Amino acid sequence: LPPLSWRKGKVTMSCKRSYLASINEDVKAHLKHAIPVREPLAVYEPMHYLTFAAPWNTAPALCVAACELVGGHRSLALPAASALHLMYAASYTHDNLPLQESCRPKSTIHHEYGPNIELLTGDSILPFGLEVLAKSDDPAQNISGRILRVVVEITRSVGSQGMIYGQYLEIESIQSNGCGSCHVEEIERVCEKYEGSLYACAATCGAIMGGGSEEEIEKMRRYGLYVGKIQGMTNRIKGNDKDLVKLVEEMRGLAIKELEGFDEAKVEAFSSFLR
Amino acid sequence: LPPLSWRKGKVTMSCKRSYLASINEDVKAHLKHAIPVREPLAVYEPMHYLTFAAPWNTAPALCVAACELVGGHRSLALPAASALHLMYAASYTHDNLPLQESCRPKSTIHHEYGPNIELLTGDSILPFGLEVLAKSDDPAQNISGRILRVVVEITRSVGSQGMIYGQYLEIESIQSNGCGSCHVEEIERVCEKYEGSLYACAATCGAIMGGGSEEEIEKMRRYGLYVGKIQGMTNRIKGNDKDLVKLVEEMRGLAIKELEGFDEAKVEAFSSFLR
């Protein structure tokens, strides 16, 4: 059978698209409001530029969707969703920094600013994301505990056991193989740690902010991990690698299983993350 | 009159030293416990190394002292104090990164790891510091609100309005002057944003965690700002610049004024930060 989303015809598909699109619009609006271009311009302009120069991914949207899936109001998840894009933008900026004696293939992206400014800007985007999140605390809502839990989730997922570890593994595999010859298993390990950590964190944080049960939170964590691995692997392996196609198909199946027990009408939109 | 600490004779001085020494020992023990050398070693070893390779400064100690000054228990401030050293270590690591086309004078420090690993490790130390802090939340103690406030203080002070801004100003002044010819005013601006932000944040966070009043918190913020500026300026300007000596003497006086109204016995130890 073709994936669920392909069997539904135009109406549902455009509905799903507009659900995702409406989330993305809200996250971008939240981000733009959070990073005004203000004094000192020398600092805020590159921050603004590099935040929006990083490719948009669906992790922030997954965070918001997970919050709504467990019954939370969208506004509860927007600061965490913005923080997730900022974490990714910081990582993307540093990933493309021209370093002396770098073992990595020379990046071909356009550099609007010099390396010093890009280094510092990456360094400022990360804490800024956590500031946006921590500042969203509202004593009247009694959600400080949830926000702190989300801070721990995010700092862990971007750190040494998550995205950073994925980047280490990638450098290691480039150094030992050159890049053409990586095995699917190696790429899977990198994606599990990099995109996997990011998306698992996104879904987890959404479920936490939405007030999900521990079981719901852990289901979302596993669902996000599959989504991240699928996204990472299909982005990294171009062409029709048979092992990859098979692995991704298996992961899609496992991901869909994690959605069992949730509200079916809401689950519908989640198939867009698995494409 | 010579500074207070010089008028007191040996006994009091050695007391003060051991108060500071005991705080530093406690912060270092907390840090060592927080960063075990564990798997993946490729990630944790450089993190451990670069955390302790960064010069030790007195900002973490000021955080703990401020907490005790307002009547809080030392243990309340240790996670924030550890986070402050980690923020500084991350900044120090990136500050000494060899970048292509860098306008800064080539760093002469020893590099144990390659630039990719140092970049990633700096990137992992910063979120790790905030994780250590956020994880210290204990629902039984009802301090989530305080910790979130401290997260906001720290992310702000290391970010675009604080330390990063100081680093921008420094790059700007190196680009326009070369470094020999900086004016005291320029150096003061850099130090206000860099060391000033770090120490102001340290004292503020200590007072918040210790349960200080808003007035006490703001006094500590101003005291820390003076301490940071003094530390930064005396480190950066070697020799006996007359303007500097005068400026530092004025700032010492202003700093001491902020301590009025606090417990005199506890205030005694604070003169060590002004040296």
Side-chain angles (χ1 to χ4, degrees):
Chain A
L1 274 177
L4 198 61
S5 58
W6 298 359
R7 280 182 278 143
K8 288 284 168 174
K10 271 187 182 165
V11 181
T12 321
M13 276 193 69
S14 82
C15 263
K16 266 176 237 163
R17 272 205 196 117
S18 76
Y19 178 68
L20 260 200
S22 88
I23 294 182
N24 280 326
E25 259 168 47
D26 287 354
V27 178
K28 282 178 186 167
H30 188 269
L31 262 173
K32 276 192 186 138
H33 182 76
I35 323 181
V37 175
R38 67 171 169 200
E39 290 293 336
L41 283 182
V43 178
Y44 279 97
E45 263 177 8
M47 214 168 128
H48 199 275
Y49 177 85
L50 290 165
T51 296
F52 292 102
W56 193 257
N57 65 56
T58 49
L62 177 57
C63 174
V64 174
C67 172
E68 294 190 324
L69 182 65
V70 301
H73 192 277
R74 180 171 298 190
S75 62
L76 283 168
L78 287 176
S82 288
L84 285 160
H85 178 72
L86 290 160
M87 299 298 121
Y88 176 71
S91 166
Y92 182 83
T93 301
H94 282 180
D95 232 10
N96 290 289
L97 213 56
L99 288 172
Q100 280 168 24
E101 304 154 46
S102 176
C103 61
R104 315 178 80 174
K106 224 180 147 79
S107 149
T108 55
I109 69 160
H110 166 67
H111 290 277
E112 184 74 18
Y113 300 95
N116 276 305
I117 299 302
E118 292 198 350
L119 173 65
L120 284 183
T121 304
D123 281 347
S124 71
I125 290 176
L126 197 145
F128 178 72
L130 294 162
E131 181 190 339
V132 166
L133 176 60
K135 232 172 33 182
S136 72
D137 187 27
D138 174 4
Q141 285 195 81
N142 202 22
I143 49 169
S144 307
R146 285 186 202 173
I147 296 176
L148 273 174
R149 223 177 130 178
V150 167
V151 171
V152 174
E153 292 289 344
I154 290 181
T155 50
R156 231 174 237 169
S157 87
V158 300
S160 300
Q161 294 176 290
M163 289 167 69
I164 298 279
Y165 188 29
Q167 289 168 289
Y168 270 95
L169 292 173
E170 192 159 33
I171 291 172
E172 214 175 63
S173 98
I174 291 170
Q175 278 173 333
S176 60
N177 299 327
C179 207
S181 60
C182 294
H183 292 290
V184 168
E185 293 76 28
E186 263 179 312
I187 297 175
E188 188 185 356
R189 263 185 92 199
V190 169
C191 295
E192 175 164 339
K193 292 298 169 185
Y194 194 81
E195 289 87 351
S197 295
L198 179 65
Y199 280 81
C201 172
T204 305
C205 291
I208 291 172
M209 289 312 301
S213 68
E214 293 307 314
E215 197 196 333
E216 289 173 325
I217 291 168
E218 291 313 311
K219 275 183 170 184
M220 279 294 105
R221 188 191 300 282
R222 290 189 297 267
Y223 177 80
L225 182 62
Y226 291 125
V227 172
K229 283 175 75 172
I230 292 170
Q231 301 265 347
M233 295 186 75
T234 47
N235 282 339
R236 279 159 208 261
I237 309 182
K238 310 293 178 193
N240 256 337
D241 186 292
K242 266 191 179 176
D243 292 348
L244 172 73
V245 172
K246 203 183 143 213
L247 195 60
V248 164
E249 217 34 65
E250 277 171 21
M251 288 193 288
R252 277 210 182 95
L254 291 167
I256 289 168
K257 272 204 146 173
E258 298 295 343
L259 299 175
E260 281 169 15
F262 286 109
D263 178 340
E264 280 188 28
K266 286 182 181 170
V267 156
E268 192 71 359
F270 275 70
S271 59
S272 358
F273 296 112
L274 292 172
R275 260 178 238 145
Chain B
L1 273 176
L4 198 60
S5 58
W6 298 359
R7 281 183 277 144
K8 290 282 169 173
K10 273 189 182 164
V11 180
T12 321
M13 276 193 69
S14 81
C15 265
K16 266 176 237 162
R17 273 210 194 112
S18 74
Y19 177 69
L20 260 199
S22 88
I23 294 181
N24 279 326
E25 260 168 46
D26 286 353
V27 177
K28 282 178 186 167
H30 188 269
L31 262 173
K32 277 192 184 137
H33 182 76
I35 323 181
V37 175
R38 68 172 169 198
E39 290 293 337
L41 283 182
V43 178
Y44 279 96
E45 263 177 8
M47 215 168 128
H48 199 275
Y49 176 85
L50 290 165
T51 296
F52 292 102
W56 192 258
N57 65 56
T58 50
L62 177 57
C63 174
V64 174
C67 172
E68 294 190 324
L69 183 64
V70 301
H73 192 275
R74 180 172 297 191
S75 62
L76 282 168
L78 287 177
S82 288
L84 285 160
H85 178 72
L86 289 160
M87 299 299 121
Y88 176 72
S91 166
Y92 182 84
T93 301
H94 282 181
D95 232 10
N96 290 290
L97 212 57
L99 287 172
Q100 281 169 21
E101 303 153 47
S102 177
C103 61
R104 316 178 81 173
K106 224 180 147 78
S107 149
T108 56
I109 68 160
H110 166 67
H111 290 277
E112 183 74 17
Y113 300 95
N116 275 305
I117 299 302
E118 292 198 351
L119 173 64
L120 284 182
T121 305
D123 281 347
S124 70
I125 291 177
L126 197 145
F128 178 73
L130 294 163
E131 181 190 339
V132 166
L133 176 60
K135 231 172 34 182
S136 72
D137 187 27
D138 174 4
Q141 285 195 79
N142 202 22
I143 50 169
S144 307
R146 284 186 202 173
I147 295 177
L148 273 174
R149 224 178 130 178
V150 166
V151 170
V152 174
E153 292 289 343
I154 291 182
T155 50
R156 232 175 235 169
S157 87
V158 299
S160 301
Q161 294 176 288
M163 288 167 70
I164 297 280
Y165 189 29
Q167 288 168 289
Y168 270 95
L169 292 173
E170 192 159 34
I171 291 172
E172 214 175 62
S173 99
I174 290 170
Q175 279 174 333
S176 60
N177 299 328
C179 207
S181 59
C182 295
H183 293 289
V184 168
E185 293 76 27
E186 263 178 312
I187 297 175
E188 188 185 357
R189 263 186 91 200
V190 169
C191 296
E192 175 164 340
K193 292 297 169 185
Y194 194 81
E195 289 87 351
S197 295
L198 179 66
Y199 279 82
C201 172
T204 305
C205 292
I208 291 172
M209 288 312 301
S213 68
E214 292 308 313
E215 198 197 332
E216 288 173 326
I217 292 168
E218 292 313 312
K219 275 182 169 185
M220 279 293 105
R221 187 190 302 281
R222 291 189 297 267
Y223 177 79
L225 182 62
Y226 291 125
V227 171
K229 282 175 75 171
I230 293 170
Q231 300 265 348
M233 295 186 76
T234 47
N235 282 339
R236 280 159 208 261
I237 309 181
K238 311 294 179 192
N240 256 336
D241 186 291
K242 266 191 180 175
D243 292 348
L244 173 73
V245 172
K246 205 185 141 212
L247 195 60
V248 164
E249 217 33 67
E250 278 171 20
M251 288 193 289
R252 278 209 182 95
L254 291 167
I256 288 167
K257 272 206 144 171
E258 298 295 343
L259 298 175
E260 282 168 14
F262 286 109
D263 178 341
E264 280 189 28
K266 287 182 181 170
V267 157
E268 191 71 359
F270 274 71
S271 58
S272 357
F273 296 113
L274 292 172
R275 260 179 240 146

